[in-house]
Structures are given as structure tokens and as C-alpha cells.
């Protein structure tokens, strides 16, 4: 089995490492890539090759930043003969545009449903499109892929709707606990929420606070995509509110190991 990656960030590194450990030949092009990307690929043991050779693989996985996902599909479009898997965090409409650019190969819309950092290569990947079953053959090599939806865009829609909910919860939590912190009641509020929401609420809430702050810029951009997607089917109200919270947080610098009270204190000025 041979799998090619376009882009080699954290997602590609995680999936490639699992595939390599199960005997899959993994290739990528490192031409013009940053030193950190090159180091990441070499650490995993990926074969360095030309862009054209990557396109010749039976499975080509595009794992790039959302802003260049269409360009990646456009460059690959005339060359791919196997299946092109778009695993980027883009809207269903952008997925459908990418699909139209793959002229001779198959196309799979794939979406990662969870944290690669926490779950590693065991993270659930959902896939839609006629070639999703073909992509699922990589489950033999340690991935966790399941088919959901029939058309390209379905998997991304599921992910975006989930994202709309989870980011909305995070934004509401930030506003609630920031107000509680200013009143000196954050511990009491957390305790009462834990009482009603369950014993694991405190841990997950604090994790949400920190990650929302650390990744605020990216989540603000992701919510723009969510807003566009929702606007295709309903008149959305929440995305603009959620985006305002992440906009407030994007210049706040906190560390992942900081006490949550310090995180709230650091961000307080942004909410005043």
C-alpha cells in the first residue's frame, strides 16, 4: 500500500506515523517546505519525493490549511488517478468545489471528529462520497474511518454543525465565567455547574477555556466558515456572537498549564 500526503502538519504526521508502523509506504513532497515540516516528515520516516509522484499514489490525502485547500486540489486535479481525500477543515461548498477539480480520480470528503493531539491516530474520521468505502480500506492499517453521508460535503457539514455547537458552548462558558470571575464567584459557579452538568464538567470546562484562548484566531476563522455554511440552509443567529468572543480572545496570551483563574484574569480586560 502506498499513500501520498499533500501538506505535512500535525494531522498528516499523526496519520502517517500510524500507517508507517503498519507497513504502509508514505510519501510527500518537501519542496519549499519549512524546516519544521521537513523535520516532522523525516522523524516519521516518510519518503521524500516529487509532487507528481505523490499524485500517483492510490490514495492521496490533502491535509493543508483551509486557505490553500482549493489550490491543492487544483494542482492535483489533472494528475490523480486513485482517490483524492480532502481532510481539510473547509465548508461543504468549498469541498464540492474541490471535488469538481479532480478530473480523473475519485474524491472523498473526510472530516476529523475530535482532537488529534489527544486521541492520536485513533481519532474518528468520517468520510462521504462514492469512494468513501475505498478510503476505509486504510482501517486495515490502523486508522479509524467510517462512512457518513452520500455526497462530497456531507462529512464536512456534519463536522461544521458539530463545530457550531462546541464553539458556541465554549463562547458561552467564557462569557459566563469571566462575569463570575469579576464578581469573585468563579469557584461557586463552577461548583454549581458541575452539580447540574456532571462530575467531569469542571475538567472539560477548564480545558475549553484554555484551548479557546490559545486557538482563538483559528477558531474565529473557522466560525466564518460555519456561518457561511449555516446561511445556506437557515438564517443563523449565533455565529456572529461566537465570533465576537473569539475576536476578544485572539490577542490574549496564556499557557496550557496556567491556572484557570489566571487565564480568566489575563482575559478580563478584553471583556470590559
Amino acid at each position: 500500500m502506498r499513500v501520498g500526503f499533500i501538506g505535512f502538519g500535525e494531522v498528516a504526521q499523526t496519520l502517517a506515523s500510524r500507517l508507517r508502523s503498519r507497513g504502509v509506504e508514505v510519501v510527500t513532497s518537501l519542496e519549499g517546505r519549512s524546516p519544521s515540516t521537513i523535520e516532522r516528515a523525516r522523524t516519521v520516516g516518510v519518503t521524500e519525493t516529487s509532487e507528481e509522484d505523490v499524485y500517483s499514489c492510490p490514495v492521496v490525502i490533502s491535509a493543508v490549511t483551509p486557505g490553500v485547500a482549493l489550490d491543492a486540489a487544483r494542482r492535483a486535479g489533472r494528475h490523480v488517478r486513485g482517490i483524492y481525500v480532502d481532510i481539510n477543515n473547509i465548508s461543504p461548498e468549498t469541498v464540492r468545489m474541490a471535488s469538481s477539480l479532480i478530473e480523473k480520480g475519485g474524491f472523498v470528503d473526510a472530516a476529523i471528529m475530535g482532537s488529534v493531539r489527544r486521541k492520536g491516530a485513533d481519532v474518528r474520521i468520517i468520510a462521504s462520497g462514492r469512494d468513501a468505502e475505498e478510503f476505509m480500506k486504510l482501517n486495515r492499517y490502523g486508522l479509524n474511518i467510517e462512512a457518513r453521508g452520500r455526497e462530497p460535503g456531507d462529512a464536512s457539514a456534519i463536522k461544521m454543525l458539530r463545530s457550531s455547537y462546541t464553539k458556541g458552548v465554549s463562547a458561552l462558558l467564557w462569557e459566563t465565567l469571566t462575569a463570575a470571575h469579576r464578581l469573585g464567584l468563579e469557584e461557586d459557579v463552577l461548583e454549581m455547574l458541575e452539580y447540574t452538568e456532571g462530575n467531569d464538567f469542571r475538567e472539560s470546562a477548564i480545558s475549553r477555556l484554555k484551548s479557546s484562548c490559545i486557538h482563538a484566531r483559528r477558531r474565529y476563522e473557522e466560525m466564518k466558515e460555519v456561518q457561511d455554511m449555516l446561511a445556506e440552509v437557515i438564517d443563523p443567529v449565533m455565529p456572529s456572537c461566537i465570533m465576537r468572543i473569539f475576536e476578544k480572545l485572539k490577542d490574549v496570551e496564556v499557557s496550557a498549564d496556567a491556572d484557570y483563574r489566571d487565564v480568566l484574569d489575563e482575559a478580563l480586560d478584553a471583556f470590559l
Side-chain angles (χ1 to χ4, degrees):
M1 188 61 178
R2 197 165 186 261
V3 175
F5 278 90
I6 301 172
F8 212 82
E10 183 180 16
V11 169
Q13 180 183 20
T14 302
L15 301 183
S17 181
R18 174 63 59 83
L19 294 172
R20 286 277 299 123
S21 73
R22 302 295 175 89
V24 176
E25 182 185 4
V26 178
V27 304
T28 193
S29 171
L30 296 176
E31 183 178 355
R33 304 315 301 264
S34 68
S36 60
T37 298
I38 293 171
E39 177 62 26
R40 190 181 295 122
R42 289 175 178 171
T43 298
V44 173
V46 170
T47 301
E48 300 174 39
T49 189
S50 67
E51 197 172 69
E52 290 74 17
D53 191 41
V54 172
Y55 299 151
S56 73
C57 293
V59 179
V60 179
I61 299 176
S62 174
V64 297
T65 57
V68 299
L70 279 180
D71 287 339
R74 189 172 291 109
R75 289 172 66 90
R78 292 183 292 110
H79 306 285
V80 173
R81 297 293 190 277
I83 60 170
Y84 183 93
V85 180
D86 193 308
I87 205 166
N88 303 303
N89 193 18
I90 53 179
S91 71
E93 178 60 28
T94 305
V95 168
R96 290 188 284 271
M97 290 173 64
S99 174
S100 71
L101 295 169
I102 306 303
E103 299 177 10
K104 299 177 181 177
F107 185 91
V108 177
D109 170 24
I112 294 176
M113 305 301 292
S115 170
V116 168
R117 188 163 298 174
R118 290 198 303 271
K119 297 180 181 293
D122 293 325
V123 70
R124 178 185 293 185
I125 301 171
I126 61 172
S128 63
R130 291 188 301 274
D131 299 290
E133 297 288 338
E134 190 69 20
F135 180 44
M136 285 178 63
K137 290 180 180 179
L138 291 186
N139 287 345
R140 302 171 188 170
Y141 304 98
L143 299 191
N144 181 21
I145 307 163
E146 60 182 65
R148 292 288 180 110
R150 297 183 299 275
E151 301 297 330
D154 287 350
S156 292
I158 293 168
K159 178 166 184 173
M160 286 215 153
L161 291 168
R162 173 184 176 272
S163 183
S164 176
Y165 171 79
T166 57
K167 288 179 176 62
V169 170
S170 296
L172 182 60
L173 187 65
W174 256 105
E175 193 162 75
T176 299
L177 290 181
T178 302
H181 181 62
R182 194 173 188 207
L183 293 168
L185 297 172
E186 66 270 20
E187 265 303 311
D188 300 280
V189 171
L190 268 177
E191 185 179 333
M192 291 302 103
L193 285 170
E194 191 170 34
Y195 176 72
T196 57
E197 300 299 313
N199 292 335
D200 61 347
F201 177 81
R202 175 185 293 263
E203 183 179 354
S204 65
I206 292 172
S207 176
R208 280 181 183 277
L209 282 178
K210 293 180 181 179
S211 63
S212 295
C213 198
I214 292 169
H215 303 293
R217 288 181 183 275
R218 175 167 59 84
R219 292 183 182 178
Y220 176 84
E221 294 297 326
E222 289 170 356
M223 279 308 303
K224 285 184 177 179
E225 293 271 344
V226 170
Q227 185 176 43
D228 290 344
M229 179 262 173
L230 290 175
E232 294 176 13
V233 291
I234 63 171
D235 180 19
V237 174
M238 293 301 297
S240 60
C241 301
I242 298 168
M243 288 165 64
R244 286 180 63 190
I245 297 294
F246 288 120
E247 188 172 27
K248 290 175 183 291
L249 294 171
K250 62 185 175 63
D251 294 320
V252 178
E253 295 184 5
V254 301
S255 63
D257 58 352
D259 183 88
Y260 83 91
R261 297 175 191 82
D262 294 334
V263 173
L264 289 170
D265 196 51
E266 189 70 29
L268 187 58
D269 284 348
F271 285 84
L272 297 178

